[in-house]
């Protein structure tokens, strides 16, 4: 018996930097599982689709694979892409294994959420930041579901910790010019920058941060989402 799993990752597009790594990890995990269970009567294969960091494309590809009989999916890194395929999961009774941290505020019977939500991750990060650097935090992120919903919760967490949001800015996905934003942050009273930038925005932001002479010991960038891969 063979079971085919649908991989929905952005192999191109603005979040592909992160998602290619997730795709490779998923392939590795499946291959290792097959090797460790080589005597089983059940085999697993996969079909990969490039969702191109686009919720509409995510829906199209998920629908096409669901129509072909695939019942289990892995991927959809951004919350926008995850939410886009929920109607497909419901209509065809499929399961999505969602491999990323996310903003919470959603429980769906057709989704298995693997990653952390803010109160499992960001609370300890904010406590550390306030203890080590100060209570004033500047929020910057891309303009989509995860950063906005996460920052709503960060505001509440900071309030409980007697902290303060000094500024809050959102840029389009793929945005790469940060000199104006960082100049504003540099001349603010912020003690730390909390970044929920993703994909192609991450590297230009960090690069400009150093070019403008920020001191990481005085005003560091903290992030719940940037990884070693980026």
């Amino acid at each position: 018996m063979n079971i085919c799993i649908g991989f929905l990752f952005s192999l191109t597009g603005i979040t592909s930097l992160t998602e290619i790594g997730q795709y490779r990890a998923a392939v590795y995990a499946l291959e290792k599982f097959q090797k460790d269970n080589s005597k089983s009567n059940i085999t697993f294969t996969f079909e990969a689709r490039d969702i191109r960091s686009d919720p509409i494309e995510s829906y199209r590809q998920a629908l096409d694979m669901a129509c072909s009989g695939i019942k289990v999916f892995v991927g959809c890194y951004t919350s926008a892409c995850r939410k886009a395929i929920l109607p497909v999961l419901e209509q065809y009774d499929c399961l999505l294994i969602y491999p990323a941290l996310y903003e919470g505020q959603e429980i769906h019977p057709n989704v298995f959420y693997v990653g952390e939500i803010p109160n499992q991750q960001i609370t300890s990060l904010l406590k550390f930041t306030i203890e080590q650097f100060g209570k004033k935090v500047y929020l910057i992120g891309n303009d989509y579901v995860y950063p906005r919903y996460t920052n709503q919760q960060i505001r509440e967490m900071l309030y409980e910790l007697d902290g303060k949001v000094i500024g809050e800015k959102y840029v389009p996905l793929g945005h790469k010019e940060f000199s104006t934003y960082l100049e504003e942050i540099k001349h603010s009273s912020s003690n730390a920058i909390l970044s929920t930038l993703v994909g192609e925005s991450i590297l230009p932001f960090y690069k400009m941060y150093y070019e403008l002479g920020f001191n990481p010991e005085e005003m560091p960038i903290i992030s719940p989402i940037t990884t070693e891969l980026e």
Side-chain angles (χ1 to χ4, degrees), residues 151-177:
N151 284 341
Q152 286 178 10
Q153 296 173 71
I154 286 172
R155 281 183 170 276
E156 296 177 5
M157 293 175 190
L158 281 172
Y159 178 79
E160 293 175 358
L161 295 169
D162 197 29
K164 184 178 181 181
V165 174
I166 297 300
E168 185 172 354
K169 290 290 191 300
Y170 297 95
V171 299
L173 283 164
H175 188 81
K176 296 181 181 180
E177 177 50 58

Side-chain angles (χ1 to χ4, degrees), residues 33-87:
F33 181 85
Q34 288 284 78
K35 183 178 179 181
D36 293 345
N37 296 273
S38 58
K39 296 181 180 180
S40 172
N41 293 326
I42 302 175
T43 59
F44 292 88
T45 56
F46 70 89
E47 182 177 338
R49 299 289 182 92
D50 181 7
I51 59 175
R52 301 185 298 184
S53 308
D54 182 1
I56 296 175
E57 187 66 18
S58 302
Y59 175 83
R60 289 173 179 167
Q61 297 296 349
L63 179 61
D64 186 57
M65 286 199 285
C67 288
S68 69
I70 292 177
K71 288 290 188 179
V72 179
F73 299 98
V74 180
C76 290
Y77 169 70
T78 69
S79 292
C81 290
R82 182 191 73 244
K83 288 178 178 293
I85 75 164
L86 294 181

Side-chain angles (χ1 to χ4, degrees), residues 81-158:
C81 290
R82 182 191 73 244
K83 288 178 178 293
I85 75 164
L86 294 181
V88 176
L89 302 179
E90 294 167 358
Q91 182 179 354
Y92 292 89
D93 193 25
C94 300
L95 175 68
L96 169 67
I97 310 298
Y98 185 65
L101 58 87
Y102 75 117
E103 69 286 346
Q105 301 182 346
E106 176 185 293
I107 299 176
H108 196 282
N110 295 81
V111 182
F112 188 86
Y113 305 87
V114 176
E116 307 96 333
I117 58 176
N119 67 351
Q120 296 172 319
Q121 179 193 39
I122 296 177
T123 302
S124 57
L125 180 61
L126 290 176
K127 287 180 179 178
F128 173 83
T129 301
I130 288 173
E131 291 171 359
Q132 298 295 321
F133 303 103
K135 298 181 178 181
K136 300 176 181 178
V137 179
Y138 197 104
L139 308 177
I140 185 165
N142 289 108
D143 193 4
Y144 75 105
V145 176
Y146 169 76
R148 285 192 174 274
Y149 281 19
T150 297
N151 284 341
Q152 286 178 10
Q153 296 173 71
I154 286 172
R155 281 183 170 276
E156 296 177 5
M157 293 175 190
L158 281 172

